[in-house]
Coordinates of all heavy atoms in Angstrom, one line a residue:
M1 N 87.4 -153.2 -51.8 CA 86.5 -153.4 -52.9 C 86.6 -152.1 -53.8 O 86.4 -151.0 -53.4 CB 85.0 -153.4 -52.4 CG 84.0 -153.7 -53.5 SD 84.1 -155.4 -54.1 CE 83.7 -155.3 -55.8
S2 N 87.1 -152.3 -55.0 CA 87.3 -151.2 -55.9 C 86.0 -150.9 -56.6 O 85.2 -151.8 -56.8 CB 88.5 -151.4 -56.8 OG 88.3 -152.6 -57.5
A3 N 85.9 -149.7 -57.1 CA 84.7 -149.3 -57.8 C 84.7 -149.9 -59.2 O 85.8 -150.3 -59.7 CB 84.6 -147.8 -57.9
P4 N 83.6 -150.1 -59.9 CA 83.6 -150.5 -61.3 C 84.4 -149.5 -62.1 O 84.4 -148.3 -61.8 CB 82.1 -150.6 -61.7 CG 81.4 -150.4 -60.4 CD 82.2 -149.8 -59.4
S5 N 85.0 -150.0 -63.2 CA 85.6 -149.0 -64.1 C 84.6 -148.2 -64.9 O 85.0 -147.2 -65.4 CB 86.7 -149.7 -65.0 OG 86.1 -150.9 -65.5
E6 N 83.4 -148.8 -65.1 CA 82.4 -148.1 -65.8 C 81.0 -148.6 -65.4 O 80.8 -149.7 -65.0 CB 82.6 -148.5 -67.3 CG 81.9 -147.6 -68.3 CD 82.0 -148.0 -69.7 OE1 83.0 -148.7 -70.0 OE2 81.2 -147.6 -70.5
I7 N 80.1 -147.6 -65.4 CA 78.7 -148.0 -65.1 C 77.9 -147.6 -66.4 O 77.9 -146.4 -66.7 CB 78.2 -147.2 -63.9 CG1 79.0 -147.4 -62.7 CG2 76.7 -147.5 -63.7 CD1 78.6 -146.5 -61.5
Q8 N 77.3 -148.6 -67.0 CA 76.5 -148.3 -68.2 C 75.0 -148.4 -67.9 O 74.6 -149.4 -67.4 CB 76.9 -149.3 -69.3 CG 78.3 -149.3 -69.7 CD 78.7 -150.5 -70.6 OE1 78.0 -151.5 -70.7 NE2 79.9 -150.3 -71.3
V9 N 74.4 -147.3 -68.1 CA 72.9 -147.2 -67.8 C 72.2 -147.3 -69.2 O 72.4 -146.4 -70.1 CB 72.6 -145.9 -67.1 CG1 71.1 -145.9 -66.8 CG2 73.3 -145.8 -65.8
D10 N 71.3 -148.3 -69.3 CA 70.5 -148.4 -70.5 C 69.1 -148.2 -70.1 O 68.4 -149.1 -69.5 CB 70.7 -149.8 -71.1 CG 70.0 -149.9 -72.5 OD1 68.9 -149.2 -72.7 OD2 70.4 -150.7 -73.3
R11 N 68.6 -147.0 -70.2 CA 67.2 -146.6 -69.7 C 66.1 -147.4 -70.5 O 65.1 -147.7 -70.0 CB 67.0 -145.1 -69.8 CG 67.9 -144.4 -68.7 CD 67.4 -143.0 -68.4 NE 68.0 -142.6 -67.1 CZ 69.2 -142.3 -66.9 NH1 70.1 -142.3 -67.9 NH2 69.7 -142.0 -65.7
A12 N 66.4 -147.6 -71.8 CA 65.4 -148.3 -72.6 C 65.2 -149.7 -72.2 O 64.1 -150.3 -72.1 CB 65.8 -148.2 -74.1
A13 N 66.4 -150.4 -71.9 CA 66.3 -151.8 -71.5 C 66.1 -151.9 -70.0 O 66.0 -153.0 -69.4 CB 67.6 -152.5 -71.9
R14 N 66.2 -150.7 -69.3 CA 66.0 -150.7 -67.8 C 67.1 -151.6 -67.1 O 66.8 -152.4 -66.2 CB 64.6 -151.1 -67.4 CG 63.5 -150.3 -68.0 CD 62.2 -150.7 -67.6 NE 61.1 -149.8 -68.1 CZ 60.6 -149.9 -69.3 NH1 60.9 -150.9 -70.1 NH2 59.6 -149.1 -69.6
T15 N 68.3 -151.4 -67.5 CA 69.4 -152.1 -66.9 C 70.5 -151.2 -66.6 O 70.8 -150.2 -67.2 CB 69.9 -153.3 -67.8 OG1 70.4 -152.7 -69.0 CG2 68.9 -154.3 -68.1
V16 N 71.3 -151.6 -65.5 CA 72.5 -151.0 -65.2 C 73.6 -152.1 -65.3 O 73.4 -153.2 -64.8 CB 72.5 -150.5 -63.7 CG1 73.9 -150.0 -63.3 CG2 71.5 -149.4 -63.5
T17 N 74.6 -151.8 -66.1 CA 75.7 -152.8 -66.3 C 76.9 -152.3 -65.7 O 77.4 -151.2 -66.0 CB 75.9 -153.1 -67.8 OG1 74.7 -153.6 -68.4 CG2 77.0 -154.1 -68.0
L18 N 77.4 -153.0 -64.7 CA 78.7 -152.7 -64.1 C 79.8 -153.4 -64.8 O 79.7 -154.6 -65.1 CB 78.7 -153.1 -62.6 CG 77.5 -152.6 -61.7 CD1 77.6 -153.2 -60.4 CD2 77.6 -151.1 -61.7
V19 N 80.8 -152.6 -65.2 CA 82.0 -153.2 -65.8 C 83.1 -153.1 -64.8 O 83.5 -152.0 -64.4 CB 82.4 -152.4 -67.1 CG1 83.6 -153.1 -67.7 CG2 81.2 -152.3 -68.0
W20 N 83.5 -154.3 -64.3 CA 84.5 -154.3 -63.2 C 85.9 -154.2 -63.8 O 86.1 -154.5 -65.0 CB 84.3 -155.6 -62.4 CG 83.0 -155.6 -61.7 CD1 81.9 -156.3 -62.1 CD2 82.7 -154.9 -60.5 NE1 80.8 -156.0 -61.2 CE2 81.3 -155.2 -60.2 CE3 83.4 -154.1 -59.6 CZ2 80.6 -154.6 -59.1 CZ3 82.7 -153.6 -58.5 CH2 81.3 -153.8 -58.3
P21 N 86.9 -153.8 -62.9 CA 88.3 -153.7 -63.5 C 88.8 -155.0 -64.1 O 89.7 -154.9 -65.0 CB 89.1 -153.3 -62.2 CG 88.1 -152.7 -61.3 CD 86.8 -153.4 -61.6
S22 N 88.3 -156.1 -63.7 CA 88.7 -157.4 -64.3 C 88.2 -157.6 -65.7 O 88.6 -158.5 -66.4 CB 88.1 -158.6 -63.5 OG 86.7 -158.6 -63.5
G23 N 87.2 -156.7 -66.1 CA 86.6 -156.8 -67.4 C 85.3 -157.5 -67.4 O 84.6 -157.5 -68.4
E24 N 85.0 -158.0 -66.3 CA 83.7 -158.7 -66.1 C 82.5 -157.7 -66.2 O 82.6 -156.7 -65.5 CB 83.7 -159.5 -64.8 CG 82.4 -160.4 -64.7 CD 82.3 -161.0 -63.2 OE1 83.3 -160.9 -62.5 OE2 81.2 -161.4 -62.9
R25 N 81.5 -158.1 -66.9 CA 80.3 -157.2 -67.1 C 79.2 -157.9 -66.2 O 78.9 -159.1 -66.3 CB 79.9 -157.1 -68.5 CG 81.0 -156.5 -69.4 CD 80.6 -156.7 -70.9 NE 79.3 -156.1 -71.2 CZ 79.1 -154.8 -71.4 NH1 80.1 -154.0 -71.4 NH2 77.9 -154.4 -71.7
Q26 N 78.5 -157.0 -65.5 CA 77.5 -157.5 -64.6 C 76.2 -156.7 -64.8 O 76.0 -155.6 -64.3 CB 77.9 -157.4 -63.1 CG 76.9 -158.0 -62.1 CD 77.3 -157.7 -60.7 OE1 78.1 -156.8 -60.4 NE2 76.7 -158.4 -59.8
P27 N 75.3 -157.2 -65.7 CA 74.0 -156.5 -65.9 C 73.0 -156.7 -64.8 O 72.8 -157.8 -64.3 CB 73.5 -157.1 -67.2 CG 74.1 -158.5 -67.3 CD 75.3 -158.5 -66.4
L28 N 72.4 -155.6 -64.4 CA 71.4 -155.7 -63.3 C 70.1 -155.0 -63.7 O 70.2 -153.9 -64.2 CB 72.0 -155.1 -62.0 CG 73.2 -155.8 -61.4 CD1 73.9 -154.8 -60.4 CD2 72.8 -157.1 -60.8
A29 N 69.0 -155.6 -63.5 CA 67.7 -155.0 -64.0 C 67.3 -154.0 -62.9 O 67.5 -154.2 -61.7 CB 66.7 -156.1 -64.1
A30 N 66.6 -153.0 -63.4 CA 66.1 -151.9 -62.5 C 65.2 -152.5 -61.4 O 65.3 -152.1 -60.3 CB 65.4 -150.8 -63.3
A31 N 64.3 -153.3 -61.8 CA 63.3 -153.9 -60.9 C 64.0 -154.7 -59.8 O 63.7 -154.7 -58.6 CB 62.3 -154.8 -61.6
Q32 N 65.1 -155.5 -60.2 CA 65.8 -156.3 -59.3 C 66.5 -155.3 -58.3 O 66.5 -155.6 -57.1 CB 66.9 -157.1 -60.1 CG 67.8 -157.9 -59.2 CD 69.0 -158.5 -60.0 OE1 69.2 -158.1 -61.1 NE2 69.7 -159.4 -59.4
L33 N 67.1 -154.3 -58.8 CA 67.8 -153.3 -57.9 C 66.9 -152.7 -56.9 O 67.2 -152.5 -55.8 CB 68.5 -152.3 -58.8 CG 69.8 -152.8 -59.5 CD1 70.2 -151.7 -60.6 CD2 70.9 -153.1 -58.6
R34 N 65.7 -152.4 -57.4 CA 64.7 -151.7 -56.6 C 64.3 -152.6 -55.5 O 64.2 -152.2 -54.3 CB 63.5 -151.3 -57.4 CG 62.3 -150.7 -56.7 CD 62.7 -149.3 -56.1 NE 61.7 -148.8 -55.2 CZ 61.6 -149.1 -53.9 NH1 62.4 -149.9 -53.3 NH2 60.6 -148.6 -53.2
R35 N 64.0 -153.9 -55.8 CA 63.6 -154.9 -54.8 C 64.7 -155.1 -53.7 O 64.4 -155.5 -52.6 CB 63.2 -156.2 -55.4 CG 61.8 -156.2 -56.0 CD 61.4 -157.6 -56.3 NE 62.2 -158.2 -57.4 CZ 61.8 -158.2 -58.7 NH1 60.8 -157.6 -59.1 NH2 62.6 -158.7 -59.6
L36 N 65.9 -154.9 -54.1 CA 67.1 -155.2 -53.2 C 67.6 -153.9 -52.7 O 68.8 -153.9 -52.2 CB 68.1 -156.0 -54.0 CG 67.7 -157.4 -54.4 CD1 68.7 -158.0 -55.3 CD2 67.4 -158.3 -53.2
C37 N 66.9 -152.8 -52.7 CA 67.3 -151.5 -52.2 C 67.8 -151.7 -50.8 O 67.2 -152.3 -49.9 CB 66.2 -150.5 -52.2 SG 66.6 -148.9 -51.5
P38 N 69.1 -151.2 -50.5 CA 69.7 -151.4 -49.2 C 69.3 -150.3 -48.2 O 69.9 -150.3 -47.1 CB 71.2 -151.3 -49.5 CG 71.3 -150.4 -50.7 CD 70.0 -150.6 -51.5
C39 N 68.4 -149.4 -48.5 CA 68.0 -148.4 -47.5 C 67.3 -149.0 -46.3 O 66.8 -150.1 -46.4 CB 67.2 -147.2 -48.1 SG 65.4 -147.5 -48.1
A40 N 67.3 -148.3 -45.2 CA 66.8 -148.8 -43.9 C 65.3 -149.3 -44.1 O 64.9 -150.3 -43.6 CB 66.9 -147.8 -42.8
E41 N 64.5 -148.4 -44.8 CA 63.1 -148.7 -45.0 C 62.9 -150.0 -45.7 O 62.1 -150.9 -45.4 CB 62.5 -147.5 -45.7 CG 61.0 -147.7 -46.0 CD 60.5 -146.6 -47.0 OE1 61.2 -145.6 -47.1 OE2 59.5 -146.8 -47.6
C42 N 63.6 -150.2 -46.8 CA 63.5 -151.4 -47.6 C 64.0 -152.6 -47.0 O 63.5 -153.7 -47.1 CB 64.1 -151.2 -49.0 SG 63.3 -149.9 -50.0
R43 N 65.1 -152.4 -46.2 CA 65.6 -153.6 -45.5 C 64.6 -154.0 -44.4 O 64.4 -155.2 -44.2 CB 66.9 -153.2 -44.8 CG 68.1 -153.4 -45.7 CD 69.4 -153.3 -44.9 NE 69.7 -151.8 -44.6 CZ 70.2 -151.4 -43.5 NH1 70.6 -152.2 -42.6 NH2 70.4 -150.1 -43.3
R44 N 63.9 -153.1 -43.8 CA 62.9 -153.4 -42.8 C 61.7 -154.2 -43.5 O 61.3 -155.2 -43.0 CB 62.4 -152.2 -42.1 CG 61.4 -152.5 -41.0 CD 60.7 -151.3 -40.5 NE 59.9 -150.6 -41.5 CZ 58.7 -151.1 -41.9 NH1 58.1 -152.1 -41.4 NH2 58.0 -150.5 -42.9
K45 N 61.3 -153.7 -44.7 CA 60.2 -154.4 -45.4 C 60.6 -155.8 -45.7 O 59.8 -156.7 -45.6 CB 59.9 -153.6 -46.7 CG 59.1 -152.3 -46.4 CD 58.6 -151.7 -47.7 CE 57.7 -150.5 -47.4 NZ 57.3 -149.9 -48.7
R46 N 61.8 -156.0 -46.2 CA 62.2 -157.4 -46.5 C 62.3 -158.2 -45.3 O 61.9 -159.4 -45.3 CB 63.6 -157.4 -47.3 CG 63.5 -157.0 -48.7 CD 64.7 -157.3 -49.5 NE 65.9 -156.6 -49.0 CZ 66.3 -155.4 -49.3 NH1 65.6 -154.7 -50.2 NH2 67.3 -154.9 -48.8
M47 N 62.8 -157.7 -44.2 CA 62.8 -158.4 -43.0 C 61.5 -158.8 -42.5 O 61.2 -159.9 -42.0 CB 63.5 -157.6 -41.9 CG 64.2 -158.4 -40.8 SD 65.1 -157.3 -39.7 CE 66.2 -156.4 -40.7
M48 N 60.5 -158.0 -42.7 CA 59.1 -158.2 -42.3 C 58.3 -159.0 -43.4 O 57.1 -159.2 -43.3 CB 58.3 -156.9 -42.0 CG 59.0 -156.0 -41.0 SD 59.1 -156.7 -39.3 CE 57.4 -156.3 -38.8
S49 N 59.1 -159.4 -44.5 CA 58.4 -160.1 -45.6 C 57.3 -159.4 -46.2 O 56.3 -160.0 -46.6 CB 58.0 -161.5 -45.1 OG 59.1 -162.2 -44.7
E50 N 57.3 -158.0 -46.2 CA 56.3 -157.2 -46.8 C 56.4 -157.2 -48.3 O 55.5 -156.9 -49.0 CB 56.3 -155.8 -46.2 CG 55.8 -155.7 -44.8 CD 55.8 -154.3 -44.2 OE1 55.8 -153.4 -45.0 OE2 55.9 -154.2 -43.0
G51 N 57.6 -157.3 -48.7 CA 57.9 -157.3 -50.2 C 57.9 -155.8 -50.6 O 57.4 -154.9 -50.0
I52 N 58.6 -155.6 -51.8 CA 58.7 -154.3 -52.3 C 58.2 -154.4 -53.7 O 58.7 -155.2 -54.5 CB 60.2 -153.8 -52.3 CG1 60.7 -153.7 -50.8 CG2 60.4 -152.5 -53.0 CD1 62.2 -153.6 -50.7
E53 N 57.3 -153.5 -54.0 CA 56.7 -153.5 -55.4 C 57.7 -152.9 -56.4 O 58.2 -151.8 -56.2 CB 55.4 -152.7 -55.5 CG 54.2 -153.5 -55.0 CD 52.9 -152.8 -55.3 OE1 52.8 -152.2 -56.4 OE2 52.1 -152.7 -54.4
A54 N 58.0 -153.7 -57.4 CA 58.8 -153.2 -58.5 C 58.5 -154.1 -59.7 O 59.0 -155.2 -59.8 CB 60.3 -153.4 -58.1
D55 N 57.7 -153.5 -60.6 CA 57.4 -154.3 -61.8 C 58.4 -154.0 -62.9 O 59.3 -153.2 -62.8 CB 55.9 -154.1 -62.2 CG 55.7 -152.6 -62.6 OD1 56.6 -152.0 -63.1 OD2 54.5 -152.2 -62.4
A56 N 58.2 -154.7 -64.0 CA 59.1 -154.6 -65.2 C 59.1 -153.2 -65.8 O 60.0 -152.9 -66.6 CB 58.8 -155.7 -66.2
Q57 N 58.0 -152.4 -65.5 CA 57.9 -151.1 -66.1 C 58.7 -150.0 -65.3 O 58.9 -148.9 -65.8 CB 56.5 -150.6 -66.1 CG 55.5 -151.6 -66.9 CD 56.1 -152.0 -68.2 OE1 56.4 -151.1 -69.0 NE2 56.2 -153.3 -68.5
L58 N 59.2 -150.4 -64.2 CA 60.0 -149.5 -63.4 C 61.2 -149.0 -64.1 O 62.0 -149.7 -64.7 CB 60.5 -150.1 -62.1 CG 61.1 -149.2 -61.1 CD1 60.1 -148.3 -60.4 CD2 61.9 -150.0 -60.0
E59 N 61.4 -147.6 -64.1 CA 62.5 -147.1 -64.9 C 63.6 -146.5 -64.0 O 63.3 -146.2 -62.8 CB 62.0 -146.0 -65.8 CG 61.1 -146.5 -66.9 CD 60.5 -145.5 -67.8 OE1 61.1 -144.4 -67.9 OE2 59.5 -145.7 -68.5
L60 N 64.7 -146.4 -64.6 CA 65.9 -145.8 -63.8 C 65.8 -144.3 -63.9 O 65.6 -143.7 -65.0 CB 67.2 -146.3 -64.4 CG 67.4 -147.8 -64.2 CD1 68.5 -148.3 -65.2 CD2 67.9 -148.1 -62.8
G61 N 66.1 -143.6 -62.8 CA 66.3 -142.2 -62.8 C 67.8 -141.9 -62.8 O 68.6 -142.7 -63.5
E62 N 68.2 -140.9 -62.1 CA 69.6 -140.6 -62.1 C 70.4 -141.5 -61.2 O 69.9 -142.0 -60.2 CB 69.8 -139.1 -61.6 CG 69.2 -138.1 -62.5 CD 69.9 -138.1 -63.9 OE1 71.1 -138.1 -63.9 OE2 69.1 -138.2 -64.9
L63 N 71.7 -141.7 -61.5 CA 72.6 -142.5 -60.7 C 73.7 -141.5 -60.2 O 74.1 -140.7 -61.0 CB 73.3 -143.6 -61.5 CG 72.5 -145.0 -61.5 CD1 71.3 -144.8 -62.4 CD2 73.4 -146.1 -62.0
H64 N 74.0 -141.6 -58.9 CA 74.9 -140.7 -58.3 C 76.1 -141.5 -57.6 O 75.9 -142.0 -56.5 CB 74.3 -139.8 -57.3 CG 73.1 -139.1 -57.8 ND1 73.2 -137.9 -58.5 CD2 71.8 -139.3 -57.7 CE1 72.0 -137.5 -58.9 NE2 71.1 -138.3 -58.3
P65 N 77.2 -141.7 -58.3 CA 78.3 -142.5 -57.7 C 78.8 -141.7 -56.5 O 78.9 -140.4 -56.5 CB 79.4 -142.5 -58.8 CG 78.6 -142.3 -60.1 CD 77.5 -141.4 -59.7
M66 N 79.0 -142.4 -55.3 CA 79.4 -141.7 -54.1 C 80.7 -142.2 -53.6 O 81.0 -142.0 -52.4 CB 78.3 -142.1 -53.0 CG 76.9 -142.1 -53.4 SD 76.2 -140.5 -53.3 CE 76.0 -140.3 -51.6
G67 N 81.5 -142.8 -54.4 CA 82.8 -143.3 -53.9 C 82.8 -144.7 -53.5 O 83.3 -145.6 -54.2
Y68 N 82.1 -145.0 -52.4 CA 82.0 -146.4 -52.0 C 80.8 -147.2 -52.6 O 80.6 -148.4 -52.4 CB 81.9 -146.5 -50.4 CG 80.5 -146.1 -49.9 CD1 79.5 -147.0 -49.6 CD2 80.3 -144.7 -49.6 CE1 78.3 -146.6 -49.1 CE2 79.1 -144.3 -49.2 CZ 78.1 -145.2 -48.9 OH 76.8 -144.8 -48.4
G69 N 80.0 -146.5 -53.3 CA 78.8 -147.1 -54.0 C 78.1 -146.1 -54.8 O 78.7 -145.1 -55.2
V70 N 76.9 -146.4 -55.1 CA 76.1 -145.5 -56.0 C 74.7 -145.4 -55.5 O 74.0 -146.3 -55.1 CB 76.1 -146.0 -57.5 CG1 75.5 -147.4 -57.6 CG2 75.5 -145.1 -58.4
Q71 N 74.2 -144.1 -55.5 CA 72.8 -143.9 -55.2 C 72.0 -144.0 -56.4 O 72.4 -143.4 -57.5 CB 72.7 -142.5 -54.5 CG 71.2 -142.1 -54.2 CD 71.1 -140.7 -53.7 OE1 72.0 -139.9 -53.8 NE2 69.9 -140.4 -53.2
I72 N 70.9 -144.7 -56.4 CA 70.1 -144.9 -57.6 C 68.7 -144.3 -57.4 O 68.0 -144.7 -56.4 CB 70.0 -146.4 -58.0 CG1 71.4 -147.0 -58.1 CG2 69.2 -146.6 -59.2 CD1 71.5 -148.5 -58.4
E73 N 68.2 -143.5 -58.3 CA 66.9 -143.0 -58.3 C 66.0 -143.9 -59.2 O 66.5 -144.3 -60.3 CB 66.8 -141.6 -58.8 CG 67.6 -140.6 -57.9 CD 67.5 -139.2 -58.5 OE1 66.8 -138.9 -59.5 OE2 68.2 -138.3 -57.9
F74 N 64.8 -144.1 -58.8 CA 63.8 -144.9 -59.6 C 62.6 -144.1 -60.0 O 62.3 -143.1 -59.3 CB 63.4 -146.2 -58.8 CG 64.6 -147.1 -58.6 CD1 65.2 -147.1 -57.3 CD2 65.0 -148.0 -59.5 CE1 66.3 -147.9 -57.1 CE2 66.0 -148.9 -59.3 CZ 66.7 -148.8 -58.1
S75 N 61.9 -144.5 -61.0 CA 60.8 -143.8 -61.5 C 59.6 -143.8 -60.5 O 58.6 -143.0 -60.7 CB 60.3 -144.3 -62.9 OG 60.0 -145.7 -62.8
D76 N 59.6 -144.7 -59.5 CA 58.6 -144.7 -58.5 C 58.8 -143.6 -57.4 O 58.1 -143.5 -56.4 CB 58.4 -146.0 -57.9 CG 59.6 -146.5 -57.1 OD1 60.6 -145.8 -57.1 OD2 59.5 -147.6 -56.5
G77 N 59.9 -142.8 -57.6 CA 60.2 -141.8 -56.7 C 61.2 -142.1 -55.6 O 61.6 -141.3 -54.8
H78 N 61.5 -143.4 -55.5 CA 62.4 -143.9 -54.4 C 63.8 -143.6 -54.8 O 64.3 -144.0 -55.9 CB 62.2 -145.4 -54.2 CG 62.7 -145.8 -52.8 ND1 62.1 -145.6 -51.6 CD2 63.8 -146.6 -52.5 CE1 62.8 -146.1 -50.7 NE2 63.9 -146.7 -51.2
A79 N 64.6 -143.0 -53.9 CA 66.0 -142.7 -54.2 C 66.8 -142.7 -53.0 O 67.9 -142.1 -53.0 CB 66.0 -141.3 -54.9
R80 N 66.4 -143.5 -52.0 CA 67.1 -143.5 -50.7 C 68.3 -144.4 -50.7 O 69.2 -144.3 -49.9 CB 66.2 -143.9 -49.6 CG 65.4 -142.8 -49.1 CD 64.8 -143.1 -47.8 NE 63.6 -142.4 -47.5 CZ 62.8 -142.6 -46.5 NH1 63.0 -143.6 -45.7 NH2 61.8 -141.9 -46.2
G81 N 68.2 -145.4 -51.6 CA 69.2 -146.5 -51.5 C 70.6 -146.1 -52.0 O 70.7 -145.6 -53.2
I82 N 71.6 -146.3 -51.2 CA 73.0 -146.2 -51.7 C 73.5 -147.6 -51.7 O 73.7 -148.2 -50.7 CB 73.8 -145.2 -50.8 CG1 73.2 -143.8 -50.8 CG2 75.2 -145.2 -51.3 CD1 73.8 -142.9 -49.8
Y83 N 73.8 -148.1 -52.9 CA 74.2 -149.4 -53.1 C 75.8 -149.5 -53.1 O 76.4 -149.1 -54.0 CB 73.8 -150.0 -54.5 CG 72.2 -150.0 -54.6 CD1 71.5 -148.8 -54.7 CD2 71.6 -151.2 -54.8 CE1 70.1 -148.8 -54.8 CE2 70.2 -151.2 -54.9 CZ 69.5 -150.0 -54.9 OH 68.1 -150.1 -55.1
P84 N 76.3 -150.1 -52.0 CA 77.8 -150.2 -51.9 C 78.3 -151.2 -53.1 O 77.6 -152.1 -53.4 CB 78.0 -150.9 -50.6 CG 76.8 -150.6 -49.8 CD 75.7 -150.6 -50.8
W85 N 79.5 -150.9 -53.6 CA 80.0 -151.7 -54.7 C 80.0 -153.2 -54.3 O 79.7 -154.1 -55.0 CB 81.4 -151.3 -55.1 CG 81.5 -149.9 -55.5 CD1 82.4 -148.9 -55.0 CD2 80.7 -149.2 -56.5 NE1 82.2 -147.7 -55.6 CE2 81.2 -147.8 -56.5 CE3 79.7 -149.5 -57.3 CZ2 80.6 -146.9 -57.4 CZ3 79.1 -148.6 -58.1 CH2 79.6 -147.3 -58.2
V86 N 80.4 -153.5 -53.0 CA 80.6 -154.9 -52.6 C 79.2 -155.5 -52.6 O 79.1 -156.7 -52.9 CB 81.3 -154.9 -51.2 CG1 80.4 -154.3 -50.1 CG2 81.6 -156.4 -50.8
Y87 N 78.1 -154.8 -52.2 CA 76.8 -155.3 -52.2 C 76.4 -155.7 -53.7 O 75.9 -156.8 -54.0 CB 75.9 -154.3 -51.6 CG 74.4 -154.7 -51.5 CD1 74.0 -155.7 -50.6 CD2 73.4 -154.0 -52.3 CE1 72.6 -156.0 -50.5 CE2 72.1 -154.4 -52.2 CZ 71.7 -155.4 -51.3 OH 70.4 -155.7 -51.3
L88 N 76.6 -154.7 -54.6 CA 76.3 -155.0 -56.0 C 77.0 -156.1 -56.6 O 76.5 -156.9 -57.3 CB 76.6 -153.7 -56.8 CG 75.6 -152.5 -56.5 CD1 76.2 -151.3 -57.2 CD2 74.2 -152.8 -57.0
S89 N 78.3 -156.2 -56.2 CA 79.1 -157.3 -56.8 C 78.6 -158.7 -56.4 O 78.9 -159.7 -57.1 CB 80.6 -157.1 -56.4 OG 80.8 -157.5 -55.0
Q90 N 77.9 -158.8 -55.3 CA 77.4 -160.1 -54.8 C 76.1 -160.4 -55.4 O 75.6 -161.5 -55.1 CB 77.3 -160.0 -53.3 CG 78.7 -160.1 -52.6 CD 78.7 -159.7 -51.2 OE1 77.7 -159.3 -50.6 NE2 79.9 -159.7 -50.5
L91 N 75.4 -159.5 -56.1 CA 74.1 -159.8 -56.6 C 74.3 -160.7 -57.9 O 75.3 -160.6 -58.6 CB 73.4 -158.5 -57.1 CG 73.1 -157.5 -55.9 CD1 72.4 -156.3 -56.5 CD2 72.3 -158.1 -54.8
A92 N 73.3 -161.5 -58.1 CA 73.3 -162.3 -59.3 C 73.0 -161.5 -60.5 O 72.7 -160.3 -60.3 CB 72.3 -163.4 -59.2
G93 N 73.2 -162.0 -61.6 CA 73.0 -161.2 -62.8 C 71.5 -160.9 -63.0 O 70.7 -161.0 -62.1
E94 N 71.2 -160.4 -64.2 CA 69.8 -160.0 -64.5 C 68.8 -161.1 -64.2 O 69.1 -162.3 -64.3 CB 69.8 -159.7 -66.0 CG 68.7 -158.7 -66.4 CD 68.9 -158.2 -67.8 OE1 69.9 -158.4 -68.4 OE2 67.9 -157.7 -68.3
G95 N 67.7 -160.6 -63.8 CA 66.6 -161.6 -63.4 C 66.3 -161.3 -61.9 O 65.8 -160.3 -61.6
G96 N 66.5 -162.3 -61.1 CA 66.2 -162.2 -59.7 C 64.8 -161.8 -59.4 O 64.6 -160.9 -58.7
Ligands
ZN1 ZN1 64.9 -148.3 -50.3

């Protein structure tokens, strides 16, 4: 799984758009990414059907590309999730 050729962060629109080497653009909403956070804590919450609060007002903090994926900080203070590229590529587009 290769990394996106570009990661476009639009803080006003609260979206992260991944531009893949194929040229395909994949916009993802901050709230969607937050709900699908792959960290152990959030995976446990989803498994227990506790749900993860992430409303439309949630903003993006810093993004830290790590080679195999990207760590994403959110305005709710959560920054544990490192999203592997392969995981992101399998997410549906904006919405979710
Ligand atoms: Zn998490």
Side-chain angles (χ1 to χ4, degrees):
M1 187 73 212
S2 56
S5 45
E6 197 182 339
I7 302 173
Q8 298 170 343
V9 181
D10 186 333
R11 292 196 159 74
R14 302 182 175 85
T15 59
V16 176
T17 300
L18 303 175
V19 183
W20 297 99
S22 64
E24 188 190 342
R25 299 168 56 83
Q26 185 186 15
L28 297 163
Q32 176 189 13
L33 289 167
R34 178 66 187 86
R35 280 193 294 267
L36 296 171
C37 176
C39 84
E41 179 190 342
C42 295
R43 275 188 285 141
R44 186 191 62 78
K45 283 188 177 177
R46 283 194 299 275
M47 207 177 300
M48 306 295 280
S49 299
E50 288 178 24
I52 296 167
E53 275 189 47
D55 63 31
Q57 304 309 310
L58 186 73
E59 292 178 25
L60 292 160
E62 296 299 310
L63 273 71
H64 306 281
M66 318 274 288
Y68 71 95
V70 61
Q71 180 186 8
I72 304 178
E73 297 179 4
F74 295 96
S75 59
D76 64 356
H78 197 75
R80 279 196 202 171
I82 299 173
Y83 298 67
W85 303 129
V86 65
Y87 180 70
L88 290 171
S89 72
Q90 288 164 357
L91 300 180
E94 204 168 346

